[in-house]
């Protein structure tokens, strides 16, 4: 569990650095971006190792049928991740679509995983995303972006979402956690 917590702390620290110490981060220039990238990758590795190695300590039992809710929320989450890149109809309407995608992803996984390691990982990343939105909103005025691709962007995003969901399902299957078979862990 300590590797998982260290990974979460490293992820949060690397991402909060720009918001907590903007002058120090700006002074680092491109080296700062590289540092955040390296720390983020290391954090992901630590979170994966820590999560996979953690003892199963049940905290609650997920309700029956939550697997379907999880799958639906994952579609929403992945779609939100693509909003900024494909610039569809939601692009000028949603601030922080990727961070909202993380929140939806976290909720989806908490619906089907009731163990301590899952609550720490998914709850921790969901909390990080919410705090990130608060910090960004406090420090920057949002000017809704103009333009975009409209429905074409939405269709591009939908296709990308479905492909990515398929890849994620295959990875989960490979790891022993099938996502469409009614077995969730």
């Amino acid at each position: 569990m300590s590797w998982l917590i260290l990974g979460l702390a490293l992820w949060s620290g690397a991402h909060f650095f720009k918001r907590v110490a903007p002058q120090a981060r700006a002074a680092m220039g491109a080296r700062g971006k590289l540092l955040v990238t390296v720390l983020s990758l290391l954090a992901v590795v630590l979170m994966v190792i820590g999560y996979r190695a953690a003892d199963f300590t049940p905290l609650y039992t997920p309700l029956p049928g939550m697997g379907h809710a999880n799958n639906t929320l994952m579609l929403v989450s992945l779609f939100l991740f693509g909003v900024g890149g494909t610039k569809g109809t939601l692009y000028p309407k949603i601030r922080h679509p990727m961070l909202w995608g993380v929140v939806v992803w976290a909720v989806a996984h908490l619906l089907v995983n009731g163990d301590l390691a899952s609550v720490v990982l998914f709850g921790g990343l969901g909390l990080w995303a919410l705090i990130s939105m608060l910090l960004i909103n406090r420090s920057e005025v949002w000017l809704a972006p103009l333009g975009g691709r409209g429905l074409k962007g939405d269709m591009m995003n939908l296709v990308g979402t479905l492909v990515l969901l398929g890849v994620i399902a295959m990875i989960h299957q490979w790891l022993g956690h099938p996502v469409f078979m009614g077995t969730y862990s």
Side-chain angles (χ1 to χ4, degrees):
M1 185 70 79
S2 56
W3 291 111
L4 172 57
I5 293 169
L6 179 61
L8 278 168
L10 192 58
W11 176 270
S12 298
H15 286 85
F16 288 152
F17 180 47
K18 180 179 179 179
R19 304 294 165 204
V20 175
Q23 289 85 8
R25 171 58 187 83
M28 294 178 76
R31 290 178 303 136
K33 286 184 179 182
L34 178 62
L35 177 64
V36 169
T37 300
V38 169
L39 291 177
S40 297
L41 290 172
L42 178 59
V44 169
V45 169
L46 290 173
M47 286 186 280
V48 168
I49 291 170
Y51 183 75
R52 302 232 349 131
D55 292 331
F56 183 81
T57 306
L59 297 178
Y60 60 89
T61 302
L63 296 172
M66 286 298 104
H68 301 295
N70 171 281
N71 291 341
T72 303
L73 288 172
M74 283 305 301
L75 277 170
V76 172
S77 172
L78 294 173
F79 190 85
L80 286 170
F81 273 101
V83 165
T86 58
K87 296 176 177 50
T89 57
L90 294 178
Y91 175 64
K93 296 177 175 77
I94 299 179
R95 187 171 188 185
H96 317 299
M98 290 183 100
L99 291 171
W100 280 115
V102 171
V103 171
V104 173
W105 169 85
V107 169
H109 283 77
L110 289 171
L111 288 175
V112 294
N113 295 287
D115 62 291
L116 179 61
S118 294
V119 170
V120 169
L121 176 63
F122 304 120
L125 287 172
L127 185 61
W128 161 78
L130 290 170
I131 292 170
S132 292
M133 286 187 266
L134 290 173
L135 290 173
I136 293 167
N137 289 347
R138 277 190 22 197
S139 66
E140 298 173 10
V141 174
W142 187 53
L143 301 172
L146 300 173
R149 295 183 183 104
L151 287 176
K152 178 182 177 186
D154 290 335
M155 290 300 107
M156 290 168 50
N157 192 5
L158 182 59
V159 168
T161 295
L162 294 173
V163 169
L164 188 55
L165 184 65
V167 170
I168 290 170
M170 287 189 302
I171 291 170
H172 277 71
Q173 180 74 33
W174 178 67
L175 293 172
H177 304 287
V179 295
F180 296 117
M181 305 302 283
T183 307
Y184 295 87
S185 58

